[in-house]
Amino acid sequence: MPTPHYGQPRYRVIADELRERIQSGAIPLGALLPPESALTTEFRASRGTIRQAIAVLREERVVNTEQGRGTYANPRWHDSALDKNSGSETRRRRVAADRELAALFAVEVGSLLVEEQTVARTNGAVRTVARTYHLLRTNK
Amino acid sequence: MPTPHYGQPRYRVIADELRERIQSGAIPLGALLPPESALTTEFRASRGTIRQAIAVLREERVVNTEQGRGTYANPRWHDSALDKNSGSETRRRRVAADRELAALFAVEVGSLLVEEQTVARTNGAVRTVARTYHLLRTNK
DNA sequence: AGAAATTTGTCCGTATGTATC
DNA sequence: AGATACATACGGACAAATTTC
């Protein structure tokens, strides 16, 4: 039998427990949390569930994760409002061609180009900025 | 709020949006798409829905997925799908953040970012230049 | 310097329960 | 009832970054 979810989901319970350990000092600030593999055996949960719990804490800025290293208890953990801003905004403007763009488009340096800049955010943090350039008055 | 679906199913809308980003160069050919986890938050859709959307693009050969690695924008798609005489080259390099990029990514001006530049040509003439930026060492 | 081990990142496939259109 | 979507959870596999030996 896989797993029904009554009341609180498991990953939230696990996240609460880990947050409590950090808050209480059982896990010192700046120290590494136990690796995911250890947490799976301790909580008897799958790795995916553990990672989901840690993702909650990461979102809350309680911890900070580095690939190949581990997950740290964030040394400066200030309660701040959670950004829920996700999505992307696109702005269009005219910019002067730098040397490289001018060469590519075969125009004079400083000629005006159309730039579309899209900023993609995930949970408030900028993930990608894309700048696309076209000639003026041309097909898009 | 659960989910009403008027008109197009959600996964098709998402597939259309991702296809558009690849077509426009916002996601450079050959580059990795954002991971499923990021797409779930950006589109506020469940993983199953995201996977369904990506499955559509995979069926269209717009993208290519590799286990343990990610989903790529198929480098050969532009040529076959849009126009035969167009080509595109993607170059990757490290650049210093200008003031605007630094502000967006919340880093110091001059910090190194990864820039992927895709030049799309039509019949030899440059049609679009797309420059996408993201942080070093973090995944897109 | 280099190989192995550790740890996180990502994807695959599957399954169950719930809710809405 | 069926299709769509969401939330949760499991297990396995390979990739990539870091540390350790």
Side-chain angles (χ1 to χ4, degrees), chain B residues 78-93:
Chain B
H78 255 267
D79 315 71
S80 55
L82 288 184
D83 33 68
K84 47 195 177 245
N85 221 346
S86 86
S88 65
E89 320 130 21
T90 300
R91 184 199 52 197
R92 188 174 194 155
R93 63 181 172 182

Side-chain angles (χ1 to χ4, degrees), chain A residues 113-128:
Chain A
L113 298 174
V114 175
E115 179 196 84
E116 281 179 318
Q117 175 171 290
T118 299
V119 179
R121 287 189 171 82
T122 301
N123 299 317
V126 173
R127 179 169 49 78
T128 305

Side-chain angles (χ1 to χ4, degrees), chain A residues 3 9-12 44-47 49 67-69:
Chain A
T3 317
R10 302 204 55 196
Y11 74 89
R12 235 168 258 158
R44 294 204 180 90
S46 72
R47 195 181 157 214
T49 303
Q67 183 174 0
R69 276 211 137 169

Side-chain angles (χ1 to χ4, degrees), chain A residues 3-91:
Chain A
T3 317
H5 49 282
Y6 303 114
Q8 284 252 325
R10 302 204 55 196
Y11 74 89
R12 235 168 258 158
V13 175
I14 295 172
D16 290 342
E17 168 65 21
L18 291 176
R19 192 189 304 104
E20 180 59 29
R21 288 188 195 177
I22 294 170
Q23 201 160 16
S24 71
I27 297 176
L29 296 183
L32 281 172
L33 271 65
E36 295 172 352
S37 56
L39 295 176
T40 56
T41 60
E42 174 179 351
F43 289 104
R44 294 204 180 90
S46 72
R47 195 181 157 214
T49 303
I50 297 297
R51 288 180 56 76
Q52 206 168 353
I54 291 178
V56 170
L57 301 180
R58 196 161 38 223
E59 194 116 341
E60 295 172 356
R61 303 286 197 271
V62 175
V63 300
N64 155 311
T65 299
E66 293 179 29
Q67 183 174 0
R69 276 211 137 169
T71 298
Y72 293 92
N74 198 333
R76 40 178 177 66
W77 169 19
H78 59 309
D79 291 5
S80 60
L82 295 178
D83 291 326
K84 292 200 171 166
N85 196 0
S86 286
S88 59
E89 316 138 18
T90 300
R91 180 189 59 192

